[in-house]
Amino acid sequence: LPEMDPAASASPSFHACVQGSSFQPLNPEDVRAYLYKAADFITDYYTSVESMPVLPDVKPGYLRDELRASPPEHSAPFDVTMKELRTSVVPGMTHWASPSFFAFFPSTNSAAAIAGELIASAMNTVGFTWQAAPAATEMEVLVLDWLAQLLRLPTSFMNCTSVGRGTGGGVILGTTSEAMLVTLVAARDAALRRIASNGMSYITRLTVYATDQTHSTFFKACRLAGFDPANLRSIPTGPETDYGLDPAKLLEVMQLDFDAGLVPTYICATVGTTSSNAVDPVSAVAAVAAMFNARVHVDAAYAGSACICPEFRHHIDGVERVDSISMSPHKWLLTCLDCTCLWVRDTNHLTDALETNPEYLKNDATESGEVIDLKDMQVGVGRRFRGLKLWMVMRTYGTAQLQRHIRSDVAMAKAFEDLVRADGRFEIVVPRNFALVCFRIRARGAMTEEATDEVNRVLINRLNMSGKVYLAHTLVGNRFVLRFAVGSSLQEDRHVRSAWELIKKTTAEIIDGEEIVQ
C-alpha cells in the first residue's frame, strides 16, 4: 500500500496536544481527516489485495518485535499510526478479502456494508432497550422481517405481520455460536419446567442431538449451557445420506434415551455443514422431534444466504415446524462481520430464559408492551447497531443483485467442480450443494488410504505455502479432503481458473517427482 510522509500533514489537534491544550478526541477536523485517510487506506487495500500473498510469511510474536512492547506515552501524528499499519500490520494479515482465498467459508463484504459499519461505529449507540435506541431497535426488527420475507419464512417467525405483532421475531447476534447458545438455554429451561424440576437438579437428564458433521461450536455451546457432556449425542453420518442426518438413526437414539428415563431436549439440524456442505432434512428432523417434544434449531449460517434464491429454498422446507433458525449474512450476503440473524417462532422462549429488568432500565415504552427490548434475546445486555449495515446492503443492492451474487458464486463453483471431474487424477468426495467443492487426489495403483491422505496433505501444504491461494482441509469419512470454497467478494472466473491451473501444476510436480509413498 502507498505510504505517506508522516511529516506531510499533522492535524491541528495534534499540535494542540503537544502544546498542552485540552484533549479533543472528536475534534471535527480530526474526524474528517482521519476518516479520509482511513477511506484511502481501505480503497488502496481492496485495489492491491489481489497481489498480496494470501497467507503471510511471519512467525509467532513478530508484531511485538515490529512495534514497541510498551504503550506510547506521548501523542503522535495519525500518519505515523497509518504508516505502522501499512508496514507492520498488513504484512501479517491472512487476507480473507483476497480473490484467491478459498478456505473455510467466505467472509463477504461490500461498499454498503463498510459504510454502514463505519456510521454505526461513529454513532456508537448501545441499544439494550427500545428507549435507549429507538431507531436502532426498529431498524433491526425491520431488516430481519425483510430478510425473513426473502427466505419465505412463515409469518410466525416475523416481528410484524399484516395483522400486527406476531408471537415470533428475530435478533441480530454476533455469531452462530451465540444463536446456538441462547436457543440451548431456552430449550434447557423449558424442558426443566416441563418435568417439574426444582432449579437445575434434573439437568443431567436432558439430552441434545446433532450429527458428526455439525460444527464443533455446537458442542461448546452445549457445555456453556450446562448440559452434561455425557448427554451430547453425535449421530454418525455416511455417504448413503451424503453426510446429512438420517432421521431413522435420530429416532432410534432419541427413543433409547427416552426409554432410559432421559429427556430429549434439543436437536441442531444443519443446512450446509462446514466440512462437506451436507444438508440435514429439516422437515423429517422436526417430525422426529415432535414425538418427544424436543426443540429444533436450524443452523443455516452459510447456506441460508443461498435460500433467498428460489432454486435453493427447498433446502429449508419444513422450517415452519422448527423452533428457531439462524443464518449469517457476514458469510455470504455481503455484510461484514459480525452479523448472525436468529429467528424464533415464539420470542417468549428466549425472553423467559434471558430477560433481565433492573430498576435502572425500566421505562414507559418497555412497560407498555408495545416495543421489543432486544437485550432479552441475547447473552449480554449491551448491543451494537448491527442492523444498519444489513439494511444498507439490502436497501442499496436490492434482492435481484443479491441473488445474482449468490448465483455467480455457485456457477463458478460448478465450473471448478466440472474441471475436477474431467481430470482423472482427482475425485469429488461429496456432491456439491452450493459453492463448496470437496475433492482430493484419488488413489493410484497400489496406494493405500494412508498414502493417499499423505499426498493430499502435501498438495494443500504446497498450495498454501505458495502464497498464491489458500485452501482448507477436512476429514470426510475418515479421508483427508481439500475444500475449495468460492465466494470471496472480489472473486471472478479468472481467479478460480488460475487456482485450478496451480492445483494441476502442483499435483503434477508431486506425482512426477514421486513424492508419495506407494
Side-chain angles (χ1 to χ4, degrees):
L1 294 174
E3 294 184 19
M4 298 181 63
D5 181 358
S9 64
S11 67
S13 67
F14 168 71
H15 290 301
C17 287
V18 172
Q19 296 166 7
S21 300
S22 63
F23 178 42
Q24 298 178 341
L26 284 176
N27 176 285
E29 293 182 22
D30 283 348
V31 171
R32 185 180 301 276
Y34 292 5
L35 292 186
Y36 272 129
K37 293 177 190 296
D40 287 342
F41 169 86
I42 292 167
T43 304
D44 293 341
Y45 177 75
Y46 279 111
T47 301
S48 59
V49 68
E50 181 175 352
S51 64
M52 301 179 190
V54 189
L55 280 175
D57 183 21
V58 294
K59 303 298 182 184
Y62 92 96
L63 197 58
R64 178 175 288 269
D65 295 333
E66 289 269 335
L67 305 178
R68 60 185 70 199
S70 301
E73 182 178 353
H74 302 290
S75 303
F78 186 67
D79 285 338
V80 171
T81 304
M82 293 302 294
K83 179 180 180 180
E84 291 181 354
L85 171 63
R86 288 182 169 89
T87 59
S88 297
V89 178
V90 171
M93 296 294 294
T94 295
H95 297 293
W96 286 66
S98 169
S100 297
F101 185 100
F102 298 99
F104 311 114
F105 280 133
S107 179
T108 56
N109 213 342
S110 62
I114 294 169
E117 182 79 344
L118 176 63
I119 294 168
S121 296
M123 290 181 173
N124 205 27
T125 184
V126 185
F128 36 77
T129 63
W130 180 91
Q131 187 182 61
T137 299
E138 298 203 6
M139 173 70 75
E140 188 161 325
V141 169
L142 174 67
V143 76
L144 283 164
D145 281 352
W146 277 9
L147 191 50
Q149 292 175 60
L150 293 190
L151 294 170
R152 287 190 287 148
L153 297 183
T155 55
S156 56
F157 283 89
M158 296 177 64
N159 293 283
C160 298
T161 69
S162 59
V163 294
R165 182 173 169 183
T167 60
V171 61
I172 301 181
L173 304 172
T175 64
T176 301
S177 305
E178 295 175 53
M180 290 175 172
L181 179 58
V182 297
T183 53
L184 277 163
V185 168
R188 177 200 69 193
D189 288 4
L192 290 173
R193 288 193 299 270
R194 190 169 70 246
I195 61 177
S197 166
N198 183 17
M200 302 290 285
S201 58
Y202 286 91
I203 194 170
T204 55
R205 292 176 55 192
L206 309 185
T207 53
V208 297
Y209 307 84
T211 76
D212 57 4
Q213 298 295 303
T214 304
H215 199 286
S216 61
T217 193
F218 171 68
F219 300 100
K220 177 179 181 179
C222 288
R223 294 194 300 272
L224 289 172
F227 288 92
D228 187 337
N231 290 348
L232 312 185
R233 308 289 184 244
S234 178
I235 300 173
T237 60
E240 66 280 358
T241 59
D242 293 333
Y243 296 93
L245 178 58
D246 182 345
K249 289 182 180 178
L250 174 65
L251 174 58
E252 179 183 359
V253 173
M254 294 181 76
Q255 188 65 56
L256 287 172
D257 283 338
F258 182 80
D259 293 343
L262 299 175
V263 181
T265 300
Y266 183 105
I267 304 167
C268 181
T270 306
V271 175
T273 60
T274 300
S275 279
S276 63
N277 248 341
V279 175
D280 294 337
V282 173
S283 185
V285 169
V288 174
M291 299 169 61
F292 302 93
N293 202 20
R295 299 283 179 86
V296 179
H297 174 70
V298 176
D299 168 17
Y302 161 69
S305 294
C307 295
I308 70 169
C309 300
E311 64 268 32
F312 298 115
R313 172 55 175 76
H314 67 277
H315 288 295
I316 58 171
D317 282 354
V319 68
E320 69 278 359
R321 306 182 65 183
V322 309
D323 297 280
S324 55
I325 180 172
S326 63
M327 56 88 77
S328 299
H330 62 239
K331 288 188 180 295
W332 204 7
L333 210 60
L334 302 179
T335 306
C336 50
L337 195 74
D338 51 5
C339 183
T340 290
C341 299
L342 169 67
W343 293 271
V344 292
R345 197 147 46 91
D346 186 345
T347 56
N348 290 327
H349 290 167
L350 288 186
T351 58
D352 286 350
L354 302 169
E355 184 178 22
T356 178
N357 192 29
E359 186 63 33
Y360 51 81
L361 292 184
K362 291 180 179 179
N363 61 85
D364 291 342
T366 298
E367 297 299 324
S368 73
E370 297 179 1
V371 302
I372 297 171
D373 285 343
L374 295 174
K375 68 177 177 61
D376 296 327
M377 298 174 67
Q378 63 175 26
V379 175
V381 175
R383 55 192 342 273
R384 301 171 57 226
F385 191 1
R386 294 189 181 99
L388 182 62
K389 60 188 174 187
L390 182 55
W391 174 77
M392 291 186 75
V393 166
M394 297 182 71
R395 185 66 186 87
T396 302
Y397 302 125
T399 302
Q401 285 283 44
L402 294 175
Q403 290 173 334
R404 180 183 177 186
H405 153 69
I406 295 291
R407 288 166 176 151
S408 173
D409 288 345
V410 172
M412 286 190 286
K414 183 182 185 303
F416 180 82
E417 179 189 36
D418 291 342
L419 292 170
V420 174
R421 288 189 185 279
D423 191 319
R425 295 172 298 176
F426 299 93
E427 62 178 328
I428 298 293
V429 179
V430 292
R432 177 194 52 79
N433 280 324
F434 304 101
L436 172 68
V437 180
C438 295
F439 73 105
R440 73 199 301 251
I441 297 174
R442 67 170 69 248
R444 299 169 59 244
M447 284 176 62
T448 64
E449 279 297 320
E450 291 77 10
T452 306
D453 284 348
E454 182 57 29
V455 73
N456 281 286
R457 286 192 182 92
V458 172
L459 173 59
I460 196 170
N461 287 337
R462 288 279 194 91
L463 293 171
N464 291 343
M465 288 175 61
S466 74
K468 297 177 180 178
V469 296
Y470 182 29
L471 278 68
H473 75 275
T474 190
L475 292 178
V476 177
N478 292 321
R479 292 183 295 171
F480 189 94
V481 175
L482 281 68
R483 298 171 70 263
F484 190 89
V486 176
S488 174
S489 301
L490 294 174
Q491 268 167 10
E492 300 174 1
D493 287 330
R494 62 188 177 90
H495 301 111
V496 173
R497 292 188 176 275
S498 176
W500 173 241
E501 291 301 319
L502 180 63
I503 290 168
K504 288 197 302 180
K505 178 176 179 292
T506 308
T507 299
E509 292 172 353
I510 294 171
I511 293 176
D512 294 344
E514 297 182 352
E515 296 181 23
I516 56 177
V517 179
Q518 295 280 351

